[in-house]
Amino acid sequence: MTWTTRQRSEGAGALAYCVEGRGPAVVLIHGVGLRAEAWNAVSQALAPDFTVYTLDMPGHGASPLAGAAQLNDYVARVLTFIHTLDAPIYLAGHSMGAMVAVEVAAQAPERVEAVAGLNAIYRRSAEAAAAVQSRAAALTHLTAPDPAPTLARWFGVAPSGATAEAAAACRSWLTQVDPDGYATAYGIFAWHDGPSEDKLQRLQMPTLFQTGADDPNSTPGMSQTMAAKAPFGQGVIVAGAAHMMPMTHPEAVAEALHSCFTRRIQADAD
């Protein structure tokens, strides 16, 4: 099955990771409550042309939380990881992972050849901010969250086919996630409002912001606005997709990432 648990290695920054493929290095960062396997389908699609590293975010999968408490702690761990790779990397993140990826690219542009933020947030409405902050405040650091409300937001109340398989995988991950790691990450995600305009303007590399047309929280308008503010930004909206786009629409995600990353490779070759 697509979402089968994969073998991990222990990397720098105390980050566990899976790796496959051959070629330039791609690093993928998942969102809150998930794990490296959330990228399985996208990773498989990219692997013929890239070496793909899929990370477990701190406090998720096999990566310890190890004192991470602020967004920059997550960023620092990823920076430590990518600095051990042999060459500049191509970077993408989903949801909270997009927050981390954009910050990493802004802080270390000499290491990041291209960056993508998938289902990223930017300047939530007051109503959306209040809703996500209320959910964060209700979490406990001692008990795993009830996955049902999250799955309903991500996949709807009655997913079917491949979407139902993705939802079942997410249910398992949300049930097994370290409660402290989940609550910490969700709190950061809830109170962060997306990259500053200054950070977006620092992205002097091909930059992709992609989201689903039906994502009510990481809206098309957010991605289009961020893309317009990044010097080499591109906004891509996937019809029929919502928040779990890398799992429900992996072909569209892999195609957009491949296009963004090879755009930089071709520019370097010219």
Side-chain angles (χ1 to χ4, degrees):
M1 288 180 62
T2 302
W3 315 116
T4 300
T5 300
R6 298 173 59 196
Q7 182 177 353
R8 282 162 166 70
S9 299
E10 183 178 339
L15 293 177
Y17 68 94
C18 307
V19 61
E20 65 180 316
R22 186 173 183 178
V26 168
V27 175
L28 304 178
I29 310 168
H30 64 76
V32 178
L34 305 178
R35 52 191 295 159
E37 285 82 4
W39 290 107
N40 276 3
V42 173
S43 179
Q44 290 165 12
L46 293 176
D49 298 312
F50 298 93
T51 301
V52 186
Y53 299 85
T54 50
L55 307 183
D56 282 336
M57 195 163 66
H60 293 68
S63 294
L65 187 58
Q70 305 294 331
L71 179 63
N72 210 46
D73 297 327
Y74 293 71
V75 172
R77 298 267 288 273
V78 175
L79 283 169
T80 298
F81 180 87
I82 68 172
H83 279 305
T84 66
L85 302 180
D86 289 338
I89 56 96
Y90 301 83
L91 181 63
H94 170 242
S95 193
M96 181 177 170
M99 291 181 180
V100 176
V102 170
E103 291 286 330
V104 168
Q107 291 187 29
E110 75 285 356
R111 295 290 296 154
V112 179
E113 293 284 273
V115 63
L118 311 179
N119 302 92
I121 63 96
Y122 184 74
R123 307 299 180 264
R124 292 183 179 102
S125 68
E127 180 181 7
V132 70
Q133 289 163 14
S134 176
R135 292 194 293 270
L139 293 172
T140 170
H141 289 253
L142 301 175
T143 306
D146 175 6
T150 300
L151 294 171
R153 288 194 305 274
W154 288 354
F155 298 103
V157 294
S160 60
T163 301
E165 291 184 7
C170 287
R171 177 181 291 277
S172 175
W173 301 334
L174 288 167
T175 301
Q176 298 174 32
V177 71
D178 171 33
D180 193 20
Y182 182 85
T184 299
Y186 204 98
I188 294 168
F189 176 72
W191 289 95
H192 197 282
D193 208 23
S196 67
E197 187 164 338
D198 174 66
K199 291 285 175 63
L200 290 168
Q201 291 173 350
R202 288 191 211 172
L203 302 177
Q204 299 290 326
M205 70 281 290
T207 303
L208 169 70
F209 288 102
Q210 183 184 31
T211 196
D214 300 331
D215 191 335
N217 295 312
S218 302
T219 66
M222 291 177 177
S223 285
Q224 290 165 338
T225 298
M226 287 186 285
K229 291 180 180 296
F232 303 97
Q234 179 187 20
V236 175
I237 311 304
V238 180
H243 193 66
M244 293 306 294
M245 186 176 66
M247 295 182 73
T248 61
H249 293 71
E251 298 87 356
V253 170
E255 180 180 358
L257 292 178
H258 196 284
S259 176
C260 177
F261 298 161
T262 54
R263 182 157 51 110
R264 179 57 182 263
I265 292 171
Q266 291 166 355
D268 289 345
D270 291 341

